[in-house]
Amino acid sequence: MISDCNTGKLKQFYDNAHDDPLYCLLVMDENLLASGDDNGTVKLWDIRKSDPICSLKEMDDYVSCMATTEVQKYLVCTSGDGTITSLDLRNRKLHIQSEVYEAELTSMAIMRSETKLLVGSSNGTLYLFNWGEFGYHSDEFPGIKHGINCLLPVTENIVVCACEDGVLRATHLFPQRHLGVVGQHQLSVESLDISNDGQFIASCSHDQKIKFWNVKYFEDIQVDGKRKAKKAELHHNLPSSKCTNVSDFFSGLI
C-alpha cells in the first residue's frame, strides 16, 4: 500500500502483490521500489504502473535485506539461504550469486563512498565485499557472538550493529576494531535509523520501545591501527550507553 503522508489517504493498493508473505521493502527513488518475500522472490515496481515490471526467483529462502547504490546498476539481496544475490537492474536478470555461507545473511550496509558492502549474519560475523564483486568476501570481522539483525552506517568507517541479544554495538572497519556498546534493549533489536544531521540514531525492539541515542561522539573517535585489538572492546560502554564501565567507576577512587 502507498499512502500520502500529507493527507493520510491511500494512493495505491497492490492486491496479491506476492504469493508469499513480504519480508522486506526497498524504496529506490520516487517511482521505483523493490519487494522481497519469504520464498526468495524479488519484484520491482514502478508506482506509475499497476503490475510489477520484473519478478525474479533466485533464492531458496526469505529475502532478508536489499540494497542498491545511487546509479542503480545492481540490486543486491541477502537471504536466509546464506547467499548474496546480485540482480542486474538494467537487464533485469541475475548478475551473480555468492557461495553459500554457513549462517543466514541478515543485513547489509553500503560503506566507503559506495565501494564496499558490509554484510551481517545470524552468527555475528561481518563480511566485507567489494561493490560489484559479490561472489566471495574480501574480508571478515568475527567477534560478535550474537546474530546481527540490522546494520546502520554512521560514518564512512563506523557501522552500528543491532544484535539479537538487545545490544547495539559499534564497529570500525579500517582499521578493524570493535568500538563497544552504543546502547541496550531488553529484547532483540530489529531496526535502526539515523537523523539527518547524524547526531542521533533510533532503535526499535521486541520490547515495544523506540529509543534514541546521541552518537555525536563518533566524529571525534580516533582508532590506532598499530594497537592490537582486545576482546574487552566488545563490552566497552560508549558515552551513549546506559551502563558504566568498571574502569570508569574505579578511576574516581583515590
Side-chain angles (χ1 to χ4, degrees):
M1 295 184 291
I2 301 174
S3 301
D4 188 318
C5 292
N6 292 320
T7 64
K9 294 182 178 179
L10 182 68
K11 290 186 63 177
Q12 198 154 341
F13 180 80
Y14 295 102
D15 193 18
N16 298 319
H18 282 252
D19 293 332
D20 297 280
L22 287 159
Y23 195 94
C24 60
L25 186 72
L26 176 67
V27 177
M28 300 165 66
D29 59 33
E30 60 183 9
N31 292 314
L32 295 177
L33 58 90
S35 57
D37 67 26
D38 277 353
N39 198 35
T41 298
V42 173
K43 294 188 179 185
L44 300 179
W45 305 83
D46 186 328
I47 64 172
R48 296 165 294 189
K49 300 180 180 180
S50 59
D51 295 311
I53 59 176
C54 177
S55 178
L56 295 168
K57 172 73 168 71
E58 302 291 348
M59 291 156 280
D60 296 327
D61 207 334
Y62 68 96
V63 183
S64 57
C65 187
M66 298 181 290
T68 189
T69 56
E70 188 175 352
V71 297
Q72 295 184 9
K73 184 177 181 180
Y74 303 121
L75 176 67
V76 183
C77 310
T78 51
S79 174
D81 65 6
T83 63
I84 294 176
T85 302
S86 172
L87 305 177
D88 185 334
L89 289 173
R90 295 172 185 173
N91 297 306
R92 297 174 186 172
K93 64 179 184 179
L94 176 67
H95 166 236
I96 191 171
Q97 191 169 57
S98 74
E99 68 167 41
V100 179
Y101 287 81
E102 292 182 0
E104 298 176 17
L105 301 182
T106 57
S107 49
M108 290 184 286
I110 299 174
M111 311 285 293
R112 307 284 286 186
S113 301
E114 299 188 337
T115 63
K116 302 290 183 180
L117 178 70
L118 189 67
V119 178
S121 67
S122 60
N123 65 6
T125 301
L126 292 166
Y127 299 98
L128 189 68
F129 293 79
N130 295 317
W131 185 260
E133 301 173 4
F134 308 114
Y136 192 72
H137 61 274
S138 60
D139 205 350
E140 66 178 273
F141 307 102
I144 299 174
K145 301 300 183 183
H146 303 276
I148 299 170
N149 295 329
C150 182
L151 295 173
L152 178 69
V154 178
T155 71
E156 285 296 319
N157 248 338
I158 297 174
V159 63
V160 174
C161 308
C163 298
E164 196 75 30
D165 63 345
V167 178
L168 307 179
R169 296 177 172 89
T171 297
H172 191 280
L173 297 186
F174 301 99
Q176 179 195 348
R177 288 289 185 276
H178 292 296
L179 299 177
V181 176
V182 175
Q184 305 89 354
H185 282 263
Q186 290 184 343
L187 299 175
S188 174
V189 182
E190 293 300 315
S191 185
L192 295 171
D193 207 345
I194 191 167
S195 61
N196 289 338
D197 60 3
Q199 182 174 351
F200 298 97
I201 63 173
S203 59
C204 66
S205 166
H206 287 311
D207 59 11
Q208 300 183 13
K209 292 180 180 178
I210 299 175
K211 295 185 177 182
F212 298 87
W213 315 91
N214 190 333
V215 293
K216 188 174 177 60
Y217 57 85
F218 281 134
E219 297 176 0
D220 303 319
I221 284 184
Q222 300 293 327
V223 175
D224 183 3
K226 296 180 181 180
R227 183 178 61 83
K228 188 176 181 180
K230 300 178 180 178
K231 290 184 178 181
E233 292 172 345
L234 278 170
H235 308 289
H236 174 72
N237 288 286
L238 296 167
S240 56
S241 174
K242 295 185 297 182
C243 300
T244 303
N245 296 303
V246 174
S247 59
D248 295 336
F249 174 79
F250 286 107
S251 65
L253 300 178
I254 300 176

